[in-house]
Amino acid sequence: QVQLVDSGGGLVQAGGSLRLSCAASGSTFSSYNMGWFRQAPGKAREFVSSIGWSGAGTSYADSVKGRFTISRDNAKNTVYLQMNSLEPEDTAVYYCAAALRATPSAYRYWGQGTQVTVSS
């Protein structure tokens, strides 16, 4: 199985940028499709973005499309989420997750989460 460690969160003003990272270990990183999810206080966890095992096949929630970019570096076992033009509504704990290539939507492994706070 794979272990995931999220990092890169912080406090930023509206309009600013952050880049989240998720480092994987314990298994072959390219065996997994990767995703980012977020959970705001009092709300359900929601999908943010995903990327296929090779780096192709990206997908975004409508709320972040055009502002966020997902990418991965299989040589570094890391997936990234570049977040630009941040809005207060983006405030949440962000989690990366891994799904086996054979079951690309079944996210079985999760990072511990990293807090993103956007001030107005």
Side-chain angles (χ1 to χ4, degrees), residues 32-62:
Y32 298 91
N33 297 321
M34 299 298 296
W36 286 97
F37 294 77
R38 67 186 182 186
Q39 186 166 20
K43 295 187 177 181
R45 185 169 58 194
E46 65 176 358
F47 169 81
V48 175
S49 183
S50 65
I51 187 167
W53 65 272
S54 67
T58 59
S59 179
Y60 298 91
D62 287 343

Side-chain angles (χ1 to χ4, degrees), residues 8 10 18 25 40-41 45 68-69 82 86 98 108 113:
L18 283 173
S25 62
R45 185 169 58 194
F68 291 11
T69 303
Q82 177 67 43
L86 282 161
R108 298 179 60 184

Side-chain angles (χ1 to χ4, degrees), residues 78 81 85:
T78 302
L81 186 68
S85 302

Side-chain angles (χ1 to χ4, degrees), residues 3-17:
Q3 290 80 47
L4 304 173
V5 177
D6 307 319
S7 63
L11 174 63
V12 64
Q13 288 188 331
S17 298

Side-chain angles (χ1 to χ4, degrees), residues 1 14 16 22 37 51 55 67 81 100 103 105 108 111 114-115:
Q1 63 182 38
C22 172
F37 294 77
I51 187 167
R67 301 187 297 122
L81 186 68
L100 289 167
T103 53
S105 297
R108 298 179 60 184
T114 185
Q115 176 71 48

